[in-house]
Amino acid sequence: MSTFERGWAVTRTPPSLDIDAMLDDPGTRIIVCCGSGGVGKTTTAAALGLRAAERGRSVVVLTVDPAKRLAQAMGLTELDNTPRRVDGCDLDGVGREGGELHAMMLDMKRTFDEIIEAHADPERARQILTNPFYQSLSSSFSGTQEYMAMEKLGQLRRSGDWDLIVVDTPPSRSALDFLDAPERLGRFLDGRLIRILMAPAKVGGRSAFKLLNAGFGMVAGILTKVLGAQVLKDIQMFVSALDAVFGGFRQRAEQTYRLLQAPGTAFLVVAAPERDAMREASYFVERLAEEGMPLAGLVVNRVHRTPAASLSAARSCAAAEDLESNGEHALTAAVLRLHARRMQLAAREEREQEHFTSVHPTVPVTRVPAMPEDVHDLAGLRQIGQLLSSNGANSVSRSA
Amino acid sequence: MGTRDAQDTDWEGVRLHVVSGKGGTGKTTVAAALALALAAGGRKVLLVEVEGRQGIAQIFDLPPLPYEERKIAVAPDGGDVYALAIDPEAAMLDYLEMFYGMKRMGKALTRIGVVDFATTIAPGLRDVLVTGKTSEAVRRRDPRTGTRVYDAVVMDAPPTGRIVRFLNVTQEIAGLARVGPIRHHADLVRGVLTSPETAVHFVTLLEEMPVQETLDGIAELRETKLPVGGIFINMVRPAGLPDAALEAAFQGRFDTAELAAGLKAAGLAERTGDAGPLAEALTKEIAEHARRVELENQERETLASVGTPRYDLPLLPDGADLAGLYELAEALRAQGAA
Ligand SMILES: Nc1ncnc2c1ncn2[C@@H]1O[C@H](COP(=O)(O)OP(=O)(O)OP(=O)(O)O)[C@@H](O)[C@H]1O
Ligand SMILES: Nc1ncnc2c1ncn2[C@@H]1O[C@H](COP(=O)(O)OP(=O)(O)OP(=O)(O)O)[C@@H](O)[C@H]1O
Ligand SMILES: [Mg+2]
Ligand SMILES: [Mg+2]
């Protein structure tokens, strides 16, 4: 590398993310695809799973809310919370054998129910499962999906049935939700008020709980007035039953946290080359570093490219104007206008990526071009997988 | 009260516009533009947000909004847009005060975390407070004149995946509170939400997933008898080429020679006088563009099958800044959405 190349220009070219090295390394046991809403997490997770299987690994992909047609293409027609074998993989594509691909869709409520069933005696489980507050919490608390994704990941890992687990994350607004929500749910369920509400359910509770009970009396009075007595009874029943089952949600969340910090885990941050998504990716990268979680790199998805990059937006516009003012070649002028727009878009996207890299110069990056069509079959996933591993180049020269 | 003839619009008689859609498609942007459009010509509109994200403040370039209705923008030809960021805790206090005269008690409850607890464990409870506050603003009348305070209320609502649960408050509450005052309150709110005074709109892009979510959302609304509004197709890019050229490009028979001639005339040939390679490259680019347009047209057809009014909102090249909002508002008015 010349001194010139080592100058400031180089700081803007990030290291290239070597996807195949990551997939082929038997030490890679978990890949987590994170990112803000709609950037391509599910697509990336599925494409990586397929590629890893076709390179000889035994893989399970845990998807969350996949697009209908993609789910169908992967044989996921039922939401039954168990991994299904995906047919149609090319399992000796690079001369390696033993590859296998399984996929599943996360069923948040079912996963929650299973935890209850596994940890409570049948009678208690029944009480919880039929409690209206449990039903409300298990299907709509805003952190439940994230919590259950982690929970399922832990289960898959403990089963030992796969040597690689690829995890998609829920469609939250922010990538950080994946890390924050489980802790939030845990904190909530371990919270002070829960203790207050549980106090009368415990034996005696006179002297030591006096204060709590005084608090409880007031709370109960008002809640009864506003909500009605039945509601309050339901809440208390729910809280005490749940507490008996879990003995610390927070502890459980911490266990999964440690799994995520293990060296066999690789986080991939997925982003679109737009300001909001790249900013979000930046936050997330910083957060992973703080938590000691292993970052593999950044996937910039849906990058706009043009085969005619040598013609700048400015020249293209000027030429279009010329043609228009002469009143000739209207179609060429229109093509040039479109091209100028495309070049401007590409330049904007380039700036967003440069900005990220100047803040995080050591984070490896790979890019995937925007396809003209949506990705909803195995062939499309295979193509995305190839683009991911070749940093967006169309024809892959397999380098040593 | 409005000086404009309301009959010209598709939503005559609607006072509560709920704006939903897939995450990131432009709900906040469209809600703001719709509020401006509805206020145009001297009317008074309230824009509410319900998720504590301060999206309205951001888009209007204002400091965070308090839990208080305040004027934030002036519409074209006069008319005022007010904004309110509804905070579930504050709405709970309102509720306690309004129905029980228990303001101080409410504050104490908030301090020990009861409100937070109740609204977390039962999101339906939070929803009924938020929708309750909104419908109160819809129905509110000026005590002196007896007329409604707001001509319209626009809500920047939760995304498609949660919207029906959010609006279907009685259902949600029914499971939790079979009787009692909160149940009664929920029934009242439901009355407003299911009336012809309400319309639930969807924002979408011309892409597979947001379109699918829109269809699913509308089907779900119909099932639960909530009033379906319009479809707002956001970030629409002009096709840029005549249909025939797009068709040719799509089928791979775009006239590259003709393009090369045009490029030559525009002085874009290489030094050798050859414009062929550039024409080839641009032809590839156009073919890709044509495939994208074709896909968008298919999504359009899918949306048309729903049979509810549709509006196009252009992709603003510089993003949705304040000037952009007025542009979108104008587009909405021109198409009869407001
Ligand atoms: N490189 C690409 N080119 C074209 N389309 C793409 C590309 N990557 C993803 N898509 C399409 O974008 C849409 C969103 O992708 P995907 O579902 O993977 O995003 P996500 O991050 O999982 O979204 P959510 O946050 O809603 O879960 C899908 O329709 C998918 O087919
Ligand atoms: N017509 C448009 N042209 C250009 N940019 C737009 C347009 N509409 C919205 N945007 C931009 O798209 C982004 C998302 O818009 P917005 O925040 O309104 O979406 P949202 O649906 O409210 O998102 P969320 O689900 O996160 O609440 C913003 O950066 C906004 O400026
Ligand atoms: Mg997804
Ligand atoms: Mg928003």
Side-chain angles (χ1 to χ4, degrees):
Chain A
M1 192 184 280
S2 73
T3 6
F4 173 70
E5 278 168 332
R6 249 186 268 114
W8 64 272
V10 166
T11 61
R12 299 190 168 212
T13 311
S16 183
L17 173 60
D18 192 343
I19 291 284
D20 285 347
M22 175 179 77
L23 296 181
D24 292 347
D25 178 357
T28 309
R29 305 300 304 277
I30 294 175
I31 297 174
V32 187
C33 298
C34 293
S36 44
V39 291
K41 298 178 292 294
T42 305
T43 308
T44 304
L48 288 172
L50 178 63
R51 189 165 181 88
E54 294 188 339
R55 296 176 72 86
R57 301 205 57 183
S58 162
V59 188
V60 62
V61 180
L62 170 58
T63 64
V64 184
D65 274 349
K68 253 185 207 162
R69 282 160 78 189
L70 178 66
Q72 276 164 5
M74 298 180 63
L76 298 174
T77 41
E78 281 168 74
L79 186 80
D80 60 359
N81 222 17
T82 46
R84 303 261 153 198
R85 199 189 154 88
V86 179
D87 296 321
C89 307
D90 176 12
L91 291 172
D92 39 27
V94 289
R96 265 171 270 198
E97 282 166 23
E100 241 179 274
L101 180 61
H102 286 73
M104 65 172 288
M105 283 190 273
L106 177 73
D107 179 341
M108 157 173 95
K109 178 150 188 350
R110 189 71 228 130
T111 306
F112 210 150
D113 291 356
E114 282 166 8
I115 302 177
I116 304 288
E117 281 159 0
H119 289 81
D121 59 77
E123 174 51 22
R124 188 145 230 156
R126 196 194 53 77
Q127 275 181 359
I128 299 178
L129 295 181
T130 54
N131 185 284
F133 283 90
Y134 169 76
Q135 288 171 356
S136 168
L137 182 76
S138 63
S139 53
S140 58
F141 177 61
S142 64
T144 307
Q145 209 170 22
E146 283 82 359
Y147 190 92
M148 293 307 145
M150 282 203 189
E151 191 56 51
K152 200 76 209 171
L153 166 64
Q155 288 174 16
L156 291 172
R157 183 76 168 85
R158 283 192 296 277
S159 81
D161 292 343
W162 291 277
D163 69 34
L164 176 65
I165 305 168
V166 184
V167 194
D168 172 25
T169 53
S172 330
R173 188 181 58 87
S174 156
L176 293 174
D177 285 353
F178 180 66
L179 295 178
D180 289 336
E183 158 73 9
R184 208 164 60 229
L185 181 64
R187 198 169 51 226
F188 166 70
L189 291 171
D190 276 351
R192 175 158 76 128
L193 194 75
I194 292 241
R195 308 283 140 211
I196 296 180
L197 285 172
M198 268 168 34
K202 291 193 170 154
V203 272
R206 286 214 70 203
S207 52
F209 289 110
K210 211 169 191 168
L211 211 143
L212 283 183
N213 277 333
F216 178 78
M218 182 192 81
V219 174
I222 295 177
L223 288 182
T224 308
K225 191 162 175 192
V226 178
L227 300 172
Q230 180 61 40
V231 179
L232 193 64
K233 234 181 87 202
D234 284 343
I235 292 183
Q236 273 179 278
M237 195 270 152
F238 165 66
V239 166
S240 62
L242 208 57
D243 189 72
V245 170
F246 277 95
F249 254 99
R250 209 195 288 216
Q251 199 187 336
R252 233 180 142 75
E254 276 163 13
Q255 266 174 21
T256 321
Y257 244 71
R258 278 197 292 281
L259 185 61
L260 294 177
Q261 290 166 328
T265 300
F267 277 88
L268 273 185
V269 182
V270 185
E274 291 156 10
R275 182 160 309 157
D276 292 355
M278 293 300 279
R279 194 179 296 156
E280 200 58 49
S282 224
Y283 292 149
F284 195 68
V285 163
E286 284 153 27
R287 208 17 222 292
L288 287 178
E290 268 167 39
E291 309 274 338
M293 291 185 178
L295 171 71
L298 173 73
V299 174
V300 186
N301 189 29
R302 302 184 94 165
V303 176
H304 290 88
R305 299 242 169 96
T306 155
S310 61
L311 178 59
S312 74
R315 272 187 82 205
S316 197
C317 269
E321 237 161 70
D322 274 358
L323 291 177
E324 281 156 5
S325 63
N326 295 340
E328 54 183 2
H329 294 291
L331 190 56
T332 303
V335 169
L336 288 169
R337 291 261 175 226
L338 272 176
H339 176 69
R341 246 167 48 200
R342 183 128 181 159
M343 290 295 286
Q344 281 157 354
L345 177 62
R348 253 197 324 270
E349 293 181 351
E350 193 59 38
R351 275 198 302 280
E352 296 304 336
Q353 293 175 65
E354 278 173 8
H355 183 80
F356 177 90
T357 292
S358 62
V359 180
H360 302 287
T362 57
V363 173
V365 175
T366 186
R367 295 178 192 81
V368 177
M371 304 286 158
E373 276 109 21
D374 282 316
V375 184
H376 42 57
D377 54 18
L378 291 185
L381 288 179
R382 195 170 287 127
Q383 195 185 358
I384 296 277
Q386 194 197 48
L387 291 161
L388 274 165
S389 67
S390 61
N391 201 352
N394 278 322
S395 54
V396 203
S397 59
R398 209 180 289 284
S399 56
Chain B
M1 163 173 188
T3 55
R4 213 152 39 85
D5 191 357
Q7 255 83 331
D8 298 347
T9 81
D10 297 341
W11 307 105
E12 187 210 329
V14 170
R15 294 178 161 276
L16 174 58
H17 297 263
V18 177
V19 180
S20 182
K22 183 169 162 46
T25 51
K27 293 180 294 299
T28 306
T29 308
V30 172
L34 183 59
L36 281 173
L38 289 165
R43 295 159 29 115
K44 187 169 167 183
V45 174
L46 178 68
L47 175 60
V48 301
E49 83 175 304
V50 298
E51 304 223 283
R53 301 236 322 254
Q54 290 292 342
I56 296 176
Q58 261 173 39
I59 205 168
F60 283 96
D61 217 357
L62 297 167
L65 296 169
Y67 181 69
E68 179 189 295
E69 289 158 41
R70 55 165 61 175
K71 184 167 148 182
I72 57 158
V74 175
D77 317 323
D80 295 325
V81 175
Y82 283 69
L84 172 66
I86 301 183
D87 163 59
E89 285 204 352
M92 173 82 122
L93 296 184
D94 257 15
Y95 172 82
L96 290 175
E97 187 185 3
M98 205 178 310
F99 291 88
Y100 303 97
M102 297 196 299
K103 188 164 188 146
R104 293 238 317 274
M105 197 59 112
K107 287 214 165 112
L109 284 182
T110 307
R111 246 195 325 278
I112 57 168
V114 173
V115 176
D116 183 40
F117 173 82
T119 56
T120 305
I121 194 171
L125 198 63
R126 180 184 56 218
D127 295 347
V128 77
L129 289 168
V130 167
T131 48
K133 178 71 195 172
T134 308
S135 41
E136 182 270 318
V138 172
R139 286 179 325 213
R140 194 186 307 153
R141 289 177 189 276
D142 186 312
R144 283 172 300 117
T145 62
T147 56
R148 307 259 198 162
V149 172
Y150 292 108
D151 293 294
V153 176
V154 180
M155 180 196 272
D156 176 13
T160 331
R162 280 192 288 128
I163 188 66
V164 168
R165 194 188 282 274
F166 174 77
L167 295 174
N168 206 6
V169 279
T170 357
Q171 190 60 42
E172 274 298 291
I173 289 295
L176 303 173
R178 282 171 284 281
V179 289
I182 198 90
R183 172 63 201 267
H184 178 70
H185 184 58
D187 288 342
L188 224 110
V189 175
R190 167 127 186 129
V192 174
L193 294 181
T194 51
S195 80
E197 289 202 336
T198 297
V200 184
H201 307 297
F202 288 89
V203 182
T204 186
L205 310 177
L206 290 174
E207 287 177 17
E208 184 180 338
M209 287 183 76
V211 166
Q212 184 61 48
E213 278 200 16
T214 301
L215 298 191
D216 293 348
I218 288 176
E220 234 187 309
L221 281 183
R222 287 185 172 152
E223 247 166 57
T224 42
K225 309 241 171 343
L226 286 160
V228 176
I231 297 175
F232 293 71
I233 305 174
N234 195 18
M235 307 195 206
V236 174
R237 281 165 303 180
L241 290 177
D243 285 349
L246 281 172
E247 181 72 19
F250 183 71
Q251 293 170 352
R253 36 175 197 79
F254 190 78
D255 193 343
T256 309
E258 166 68 20
L259 179 59
L263 292 173
K264 242 184 195 168
L268 290 174
E270 288 169 25
R271 260 187 292 265
T272 56
D274 186 7
L278 181 59
E280 297 278 345
L282 287 173
T283 301
K284 254 191 226 155
E285 190 176 302
I286 294 306
E288 243 182 52
H289 174 72
R291 275 159 74 191
R292 193 81 227 173
V293 172
E294 168 64 21
L295 193 94
E296 291 179 358
N297 287 339
Q298 280 172 20
E299 299 300 347
R300 243 180 221 290
E301 269 170 42
T302 309
L303 290 172
S305 72
V306 176
T308 190
R310 295 176 303 284
Y311 312 97
D312 274 17
L313 293 166
L315 175 74
L316 302 163
D318 301 317
D321 56 6
L322 201 53
L325 281 185
Y326 283 88
E327 197 177 308
L328 296 180
E330 192 44 54
L332 288 175
R333 285 223 291 161
Q335 295 172 73

